[in-house]
């Protein structure tokens, strides 16, 4: 079992987007100089966002959002703490799901109060069986000063520093109450050197880790030199600690007090605040437990008011014995009083240094011929934030060269030429051509990737695929050519297929598309895979070979990434046509009247 609950490398997954609590954790991280933020991810099941912005000192960071714990764990496998801020209706299910993710979470904290006791007992037992430490339910959490703190424990940064919770002290603190935890942290800071680890186990009757669990861990933690236990009326957990002291499992000094001694002055049973704070037998009274602990050799003050003096007494004794030494005060980073959120985010390039970078690479490292890098490498960095292998970047360049132009008659080139003749600039003329790119011109690349991938993912036979597309009322994108056929193939398609056969690790979607083509061409010879279809299909095969998930590829398709290759390539051709018009000094264009069917009826009056 771990000696320390948390370290400076501990990262958590935060269930529920509690922005205030998360920001407090990140402010603490920055103050104590953590290298990595303590919150690795947020689970927000109903959110459509991919991230949430938070301040990290004077700057901002992006914390990824996921819709489930399983998804968060898959993307953030290093996060071994779950901070469960779900409501009491959901907290049980969230915790059980997390426990069942074998070996992922070492610690789970549950803030919810009032989880049904039957479910709480079942949940706590499942955690014990899985070796997971549960803090709570009904808790503010725990802290390892100078390393990691959960949510709101310790209060504001000012209070944290005043209570010496910004760095490790010598005391191990365990309480039920979160409010009293903060108060005791302050008392320990005044009368000793602060705490090394602290846990508020929670106020519900059945909590996950009890006093003895935490004290036994602190016994093994070399940072902890002595321990303070603040119990309360109700329950018998303190007696487990007494037994551990008697049988030698706990050798470090313990200072303890059970609050609620006033209960003996009431004629009937009284419950104090927490669900567990009610004595059901004489042994559960605070007075009985305090007496038993004192008899076992635990340091027990005469009253709560005497607790500070008892802490000072034990601390000074350990100092005199050399058990506790001097603690060097660390340098703290100061959080600015005024912080301004950024309006834009950029994750692909950075121009703040000596040289601008593409996805972390200086431009000079990819731009000049001696680097051996091409336009495909630049696209892989700026579009995908990855370094693609040579076979993939050269395929991208092949695609761009293949789609660069298809003559002056297509709608985009025609628009660009007409605009250039009107005396407009290169950029204005280019834009009018680009604006024609969409579902009917260029969109077949996106459509082919989408529908062929859907068919392949769902194991549709070619006949089933054709039937599906017919029901959708959509002609199969990427199939069919005006003049090309099996006997008169499109050499652009042949070139792309030959490149893929030689360089791609595998082409499963293209192989499937060829079985569809065999069926469509048996009906009509020109229903071949055209260049748009081949590009879209091979792009999917490329991304699969590069290790992207099916969800990633679907997102590329939906976001228009495939059409972006067509846009870049065709821009080259459009500019060529615009410059051709300028070079030839062509006059203003007017469409010939004899090419227009005029059918103009006299307008009828409306009464």
């Amino acid at each position: 079992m771990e000696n320390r609950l948390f370290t400076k490398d501990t990262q958590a997954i935060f269930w529920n987007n509690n922005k205030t609590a998360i920001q407090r954790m990140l402010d603490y991280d920055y103050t104590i100089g953590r290298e990595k933020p303590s919150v690795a991810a947020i689970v927000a099941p109903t959110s459509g966002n991919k991230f949430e912005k938070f301040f990290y000192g004077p700057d901002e960071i992006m914390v990824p959002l996921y819709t489930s714990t399983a998804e968060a764990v898959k993307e953030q496998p290093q996060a071994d703490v779950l901070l469960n801020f779900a409501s009491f209706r959901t907290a049980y299910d969230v915790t059980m799901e997390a426990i069942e993710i074998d070996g992922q979470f070492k610690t789970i904290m549950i803030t919810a109060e009032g989880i049904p006791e039957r479910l709480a007992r079942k949940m706590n037992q499942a955690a014990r069986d899985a070796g997971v430490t549960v803090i709570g339910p009904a808790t503010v959490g725990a802290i390892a000063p100078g390393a990691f703190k959960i949510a709101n424990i310790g209060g504001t940064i000012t209070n944290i520093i005043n209570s010496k919770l910004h760095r490790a002290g010598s005391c191990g603190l365990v309480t039920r109450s979160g409010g009293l935890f903060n108060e005791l942290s302050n008392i320990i800071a005044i009368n000793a050197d602060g705490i090394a680890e602290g846990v508020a186990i929670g106020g519900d009757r059945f909590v996950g880790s009890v006093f003895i669990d935490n004290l036994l861990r602190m016994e093994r933690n070399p940072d902890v030199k002595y321990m303070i236990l603040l119990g309360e009326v109700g329950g018998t957990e303190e007696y487990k600690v007494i037994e551990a002291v008697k049988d030698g499992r706990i050798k470090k000094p313990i200072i303890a007090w059970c609050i609620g001694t006033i209960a003996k002055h009431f004629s009937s049973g009284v419950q104090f605040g927490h669900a567990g704070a009610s004595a059901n037998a004489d042994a559960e009274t605070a007075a009985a437990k305090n007496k038993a602990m004192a008899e076992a050799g635990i340091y027990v003050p005469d009253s709560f008011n005497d607790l500070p003096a008892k802490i000072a007494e034990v601390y000074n004794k350990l100092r005199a014995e050399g058990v506790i030494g001097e603690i060097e005060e660390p340098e703290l980073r100061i959080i600015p009083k005024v912080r301004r959120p950024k309006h834009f985010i950029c994750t692909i390039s950075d121009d703040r240094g000596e040289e601008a970078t593409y996805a972390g690479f200086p431009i000079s490292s990819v731009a000049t011929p001696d680097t051996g890098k091409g336009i495909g490498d630049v696209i892989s960095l700026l579009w995908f934030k990855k370094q693609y292998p040579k076979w993939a970047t050269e395929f991208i360049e092949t695609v761009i060269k293949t789609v660069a132009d298809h003559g002056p008659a297509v709608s985009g080139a025609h628009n660009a030429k007409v605009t250039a003749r009107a005396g407009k600039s290169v950029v204005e003329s280019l834009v009018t051509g680009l604006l024609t790119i969409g579902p009917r011109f260029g969109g077949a690349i996106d459509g082919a990737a989408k529908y062929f991938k859907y068919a392949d993912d769902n194991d549709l036979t070619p006949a089933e695929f054709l039937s599906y597309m017919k029901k959708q009322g959509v002609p199969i994108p990427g199939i069919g050519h005006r003049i090309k056929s099996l006997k008169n193939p499109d050499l652009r398609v042949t070139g792309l297929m030959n490149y893929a056969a030689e360089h791609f690790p595998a082409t499963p979607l293209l192989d499937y598309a060829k079985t569809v083509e065999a069926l469509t061409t048996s009906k009509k010879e020109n229903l071949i895979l055209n260049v748009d279809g081949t590009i879209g299909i091979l792009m999917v095969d490329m991304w699969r070979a590069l290790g992207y998930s099916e969800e990633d590829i679907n997102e590329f398709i939906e976001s228009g990434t495939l059409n972006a290759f067509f846009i870049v390539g065709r821009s080259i051709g459009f500019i060529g046509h615009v410059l051709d018009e300028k070079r030839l000094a062509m006059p203003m264009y007017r469409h010939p009247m004899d090419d227009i069917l005029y059918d103009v009826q006299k307008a009828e009056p409306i009464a």
Side-chain angles (χ1 to χ4, degrees):
M1 203 171 176
E2 295 287 338
N3 293 335
R4 293 177 176 86
L5 192 58
F6 310 121
T7 71
K8 213 163 185 174
D9 293 321
T10 297
Q11 286 191 295
I13 291 171
F14 205 107
W15 207 101
N16 224 351
N17 193 2
N18 189 317
K19 295 178 185 176
T20 302
I22 294 169
Q23 187 61 66
R24 281 192 168 180
M25 287 181 69
L26 297 175
D27 284 347
Y28 182 78
D29 296 342
Y30 179 80
T31 300
I32 65 173
R34 272 184 61 119
E35 289 184 14
K36 295 182 293 186
S38 58
V39 180
I42 300 166
V43 178
T46 59
S47 176
N49 297 335
K50 292 189 174 182
F51 65 88
E52 190 75 59
K53 286 198 306 173
F54 292 93
F55 285 109
Y56 199 70
D59 299 316
E60 284 183 298
I61 60 170
M62 296 158 61
V63 178
L65 260 62
Y66 303 101
T67 55
S68 70
T69 307
E71 186 187 2
V73 164
K74 181 182 174 185
E75 297 298 324
Q76 306 291 336
Q78 81 288 354
D80 60 6
V81 175
L82 180 71
L83 304 183
N84 183 353
F85 270 68
S87 70
F88 76 93
R89 295 179 185 85
T90 312
Y92 169 79
D93 292 330
V94 170
T95 304
M96 292 300 285
E97 180 193 5
I99 291 169
E100 287 164 11
I101 302 175
D102 189 39
Q104 177 65 35
F105 295 109
K106 295 177 183 176
T107 307
I108 299 174
M109 187 278 293
I110 307 163
T111 60
E113 184 177 346
I115 294 175
E117 292 184 355
R118 176 181 59 83
L119 295 180
R121 288 198 300 271
K122 183 179 177 183
M123 175 179 73
N124 295 337
Q125 189 57 54
R128 284 187 181 278
D129 293 343
V132 176
T133 298
V134 168
I135 301 171
T139 180
V140 296
I143 186 170
F148 179 93
K149 101 175 181 87
I150 290 175
N152 298 309
I153 196 166
T156 65
I157 288 293
T158 302
N159 189 67
I160 281 169
I161 293 171
N162 289 340
S163 299
K164 298 180 182 173
L165 293 172
H166 59 284
R167 50 86 177 137
S170 304
C171 175
L173 173 61
V174 187
T175 74
R176 262 193 175 274
S177 163
L180 282 174
F181 181 95
N182 289 351
E183 177 63 26
L184 266 179
S185 296
N186 192 43
I187 290 171
I188 296 165
I190 293 168
N191 294 278
D193 63 3
I195 70 173
E197 185 176 286
V199 181
I201 66 170
D204 274 5
R205 186 169 180 81
F206 297 102
V207 292
S209 63
V210 293
F211 292 137
I212 188 63
D213 300 320
N214 290 287
L215 291 174
L216 285 174
R217 184 187 62 256
M218 291 174 181
E219 175 72 19
R220 297 189 301 272
N221 185 345
D223 302 331
V224 174
K225 308 303 181 185
Y226 68 103
M227 295 168 274
I228 295 178
L229 165 63
L230 187 69
E232 64 182 20
V233 60
T236 58
E237 290 300 332
E238 290 84 355
Y239 291 100
K240 294 177 184 176
V241 178
I242 291 170
E243 290 306 311
V245 171
K246 286 181 176 178
D247 65 24
R249 282 179 293 153
I250 294 180
K251 296 182 175 66
K252 293 176 182 176
I254 299 178
I255 304 166
W257 178 256
C258 283
I259 58 175
T261 52
I262 195 173
K264 64 185 178 184
H265 298 292
F266 292 90
S267 57
S268 60
V270 178
Q271 180 178 317
F272 294 83
H274 298 151
S278 177
N280 297 314
D282 288 344
E284 294 188 28
T285 64
K289 290 194 279 190
N290 284 333
K291 183 172 182 290
M293 287 191 294
E295 288 172 353
I298 293 172
Y299 292 91
V300 179
D302 294 330
S303 69
F304 183 80
N305 289 340
D306 295 324
L307 186 57
K310 187 61 72 175
I311 293 170
E313 174 193 328
V314 173
Y315 170 72
N316 289 326
K317 180 174 181 288
L318 294 173
R319 279 292 302 270
E321 293 171 354
V323 175
I324 295 174
E326 287 292 332
I327 292 178
E328 187 178 339
E329 289 295 333
E331 191 174 323
L332 299 178
R333 295 193 288 195
I334 306 300
I335 293 172
K337 286 189 170 66
V338 178
R339 296 186 283 192
R340 185 173 62 86
K342 307 290 192 296
H343 291 102
F344 283 90
I345 298 169
C346 181
T347 67
I348 61 169
S349 60
D350 192 338
D351 59 346
R352 293 174 297 176
E354 287 289 318
E355 183 182 2
T357 63
Y358 295 161
F361 288 84
I363 293 176
S364 61
S365 70
V366 296
T368 53
D370 58 289
T371 64
K373 304 293 186 184
I375 193 67
D377 296 280
V378 173
I379 286 176
S380 76
L381 291 173
L382 291 179
W383 290 14
F384 307 107
K385 300 191 288 186
K386 301 284 186 186
Q387 298 178 70
Y388 281 7
K390 195 165 185 63
W391 67 264
T393 59
E394 289 190 346
F395 174 67
I396 288 172
E397 292 177 13
T398 302
V399 167
I400 289 170
K401 290 184 286 185
T402 301
V403 302
D405 188 39
H406 206 213
V410 298
S411 60
H414 177 83
N415 261 25
K417 290 169 77 69
V418 169
T419 308
R421 287 191 179 197
K424 292 291 189 176
S425 68
V426 174
V427 67
E428 291 166 313
S429 304
L430 171 63
V431 167
T432 62
L434 291 176
L435 287 173
T436 64
I437 295 176
R440 295 181 179 179
F441 177 49
I445 297 178
D446 280 333
K450 176 181 177 180
Y451 286 109
F452 275 93
K453 184 177 184 300
Y454 172 84
D456 187 41
D457 288 348
N458 290 277
D459 296 321
L460 300 183
T461 65
E464 288 170 338
F465 179 36
L466 265 60
S467 175
Y468 168 79
M469 295 302 294
K470 191 172 183 179
K471 287 176 184 174
Q472 297 293 311
V474 178
I476 301 175
I479 290 283
H481 199 284
R482 190 168 52 87
I483 57 173
K484 297 295 181 181
S485 64
L486 284 176
K487 294 177 182 176
N488 179 28
D490 186 337
L491 295 181
R492 297 176 301 169
V493 172
T494 305
L496 289 167
M497 288 186 178
N498 288 343
Y499 182 89
E502 185 177 349
H503 298 286
F504 277 40
T507 56
L509 193 59
L510 179 62
D511 296 341
Y512 173 75
K514 285 180 177 178
T515 67
V516 174
E517 182 187 49
L519 183 58
T520 55
T521 52
S522 69
K523 299 183 177 185
K524 200 171 182 183
E525 202 172 67
N526 71 331
L527 293 179
I528 57 170
L529 266 176
N530 58 36
V531 69
D532 290 349
T534 305
I535 289 170
I537 288 159
L538 282 176
M539 280 288 176
V540 174
D541 279 335
M542 178 188 77
W543 282 321
R544 282 176 170 170
L546 291 172
Y548 286 97
S549 69
E550 297 302 313
E551 293 77 14
D552 289 335
I553 298 171
N554 290 338
E555 188 174 299
F556 289 153
I557 296 169
E558 293 301 321
S559 66
T561 304
L562 287 155
N563 233 14
F565 289 105
F566 186 83
I567 291 165
V568 170
R570 199 48 68 98
S571 292
I572 298 169
F574 290 166
I575 291 170
H577 287 295
V578 170
L579 295 178
D580 198 34
E581 294 292 330
K582 301 284 187 186
R583 186 166 46 246
L584 296 171
M586 296 299 290
M588 178 79 171
Y589 175 79
R590 179 181 172 86
H591 201 72
M593 294 171 65
D594 62 4
D595 191 39
I596 298 171
L597 171 63
Y598 291 97
D599 183 14
V600 183
Q601 307 293 327
K602 188 171 183 180
E604 296 180 6
I606 297 176

